[in-house]
Amino acid sequence: MSGLGDRVRSFCNFVWNSDEKTFLGRGGRSWAEIGVFYLIYYSCLAGFFVGMLAVFYQTVDEKRPKLTGDSSLLKGNPGMGFQPMPDVEYTLVRFRVQPKTYEPHVKSIQKILKPYIESQAKPEDERKGVDCAGGVMPKEGESCRVDVAALTQECNIQNNFGFGKETQPCILLRLNKIFDWMPQKFTAENVNSSGASVGLRNRMVNEPDMIYIECVGENPADRDNIGNITYYPEQGFRHYYYPFTNQPDYMSPLVFVKFLNPPKNIALMVECRALAPNIRYDRTEKEGGVHFELLVDP
């Protein structure tokens, strides 16, 4: 007991020594000196950090990324995303004809469409972008408007984007934005190497100013079971949506892929590709296309 009392007294004496007038082993002069030292030290450290931050911001352009083209993360080759995407780790879109099974899919698509619909609901002079479908091309700093009415003519909230009783699910596709990237036109020489179906190649030659989208079954069995597919507002993205240069009102173009008669109780492995002469397709690296599975439960 006495040993414990000695240790307590020794600790209290270390905290405040009344004989030597020291706190934690230091006198008033010593605490003042170390306080001034750390004040100067951390002030210099903070000044150095602020100075380096100021130098860094001098090299940053708020409108243009430092790395573009092949030097960028995407290497100048766009990827493709899809909705609904139930989980970032899985690509299976599965549902039954019961609201609780497809409500997450509907909400996922609604979230993407919300800013487009809100812009469409505004008066003409307040809407984002220029109506390029009418033949008016955007000026520098402007972008083309997405026609929401045409986009949602067959895939909309009224029919639960095809996930309800209709059982004709709609998948929403869009390309990743790459700064200052411009798709190349198709020509009679490069259309045969595009990897597109024969029927689509004829259209590529007649309408070369477009990034075409083609969704097919990944395997022979999938191609047999996939049924008919339609695209809204059309089968791809017009070139007038590009390039993306960080325009303040820019909204990425969207395409709905509608599966008209998918089989029930059979998982379809679907592969959608973006077709343009300067889009490289690599399934392994997930470049230039997207893969997902579609399963309609009975």
Side-chain angles (χ1 to χ4, degrees):
M1 193 71 180
S2 59
L4 178 61
D6 291 340
R7 285 196 293 271
V8 171
R9 282 191 295 273
S10 176
F11 175 74
C12 293
N13 190 56
F14 168 73
V15 174
W16 171 249
N17 190 321
S18 56
D19 296 332
E20 298 181 6
K21 307 298 183 185
T22 60
F23 176 70
L24 297 178
R26 292 181 180 274
R29 181 183 177 84
S30 178
W31 277 114
E33 290 174 347
I34 197 172
V36 171
F37 168 78
Y38 278 109
L39 178 64
I40 296 173
Y41 174 75
Y42 284 114
S43 296
C44 292
L45 196 64
F48 176 78
F49 175 76
V50 171
M52 292 297 99
L53 200 61
V55 171
F56 170 75
Y57 274 107
Q58 291 298 317
T59 66
V60 174
D61 190 331
E62 294 183 358
K63 295 184 178 181
R64 182 181 181 88
K66 192 175 182 64
L67 300 178
T68 60
D70 291 338
S71 300
S72 67
L73 184 63
L74 294 175
K75 305 297 181 184
N77 193 49
M80 187 186 294
F82 75 95
Q83 292 291 340
M85 195 170 183
D87 192 290
V88 294
E89 297 181 359
Y90 303 99
T91 55
L92 174 63
V93 181
R94 183 177 184 179
F95 69 101
R96 296 187 183 92
V97 189
Q98 284 98 25
K100 67 177 182 180
T101 67
Y102 60 74
E103 277 180 0
H105 302 330
V106 173
K107 291 180 179 179
S108 176
I109 296 176
Q110 272 188 298
K111 184 177 180 181
I112 300 298
L113 290 180
K114 183 179 179 181
Y116 295 83
I117 295 173
E118 289 177 347
S119 176
Q120 183 83 6
K122 294 180 180 179
E124 180 67 26
D125 57 344
E126 296 182 15
R127 293 181 186 177
K128 293 183 178 181
V130 177
D131 184 9
C132 299
V136 179
M137 297 306 292
K139 301 176 183 178
E140 186 176 353
E142 295 181 336
S143 60
C144 289
R145 183 183 301 164
V146 175
D147 188 347
V148 179
L151 175 69
T152 58
Q153 59 181 309
E154 291 291 334
C155 301
N156 48 61
I157 187 60
Q158 285 73 30
N159 63 8
N160 293 304
F161 302 106
F163 289 98
K165 295 180 180 180
E166 188 179 85
T167 320
Q168 295 182 337
C170 297
I171 304 296
L172 189 64
L173 301 179
R174 63 177 174 178
L175 287 179
N176 293 339
K177 291 186 291 187
I178 299 182
F179 187 89
D180 212 21
W181 178 82
M182 187 68 191
Q184 296 176 357
K185 295 182 181 181
F186 282 105
T187 64
E189 289 74 24
N190 62 29
V191 72
N192 290 327
S193 61
S194 64
S197 62
V198 176
L200 186 58
R201 291 177 195 174
N202 296 329
R203 184 180 173 188
M204 289 175 171
V205 175
N206 296 327
E207 296 183 76
D209 298 333
M210 192 167 175
I211 302 174
Y212 286 90
I213 301 296
E214 188 166 39
C215 296
V216 297
E218 211 169 272
N219 305 304
D222 300 313
R223 289 190 283 272
D224 291 339
N225 291 318
I226 199 168
N228 297 320
I229 297 175
T230 55
Y231 303 84
Y232 299 96
E234 54 186 337
Q235 195 174 349
F237 310 110
R238 293 284 175 178
H239 282 192
Y240 52 60
Y241 288 109
Y242 304 92
F244 165 69
T245 55
N246 206 21
Q247 303 96 314
D249 58 352
Y250 185 85
M251 302 183 81
S252 297
L254 304 172
V255 166
F256 266 121
V257 182
K258 186 171 185 176
F259 296 83
L260 300 181
N261 47 352
K264 293 185 178 180
N265 208 28
I266 297 178
L268 290 174
M269 299 179 69
V270 183
E271 186 177 58
C272 294
R273 292 183 57 185
L275 302 171
N278 58 336
I279 294 181
R280 301 183 306 276
Y281 176 69
D282 190 319
R283 182 187 300 177
T284 304
E285 297 296 329
K286 299 180 181 180
E287 294 181 347
V290 71
H291 161 91
F292 57 89
E293 299 87 33
L294 183 64
L295 176 59
V296 182
D297 287 332

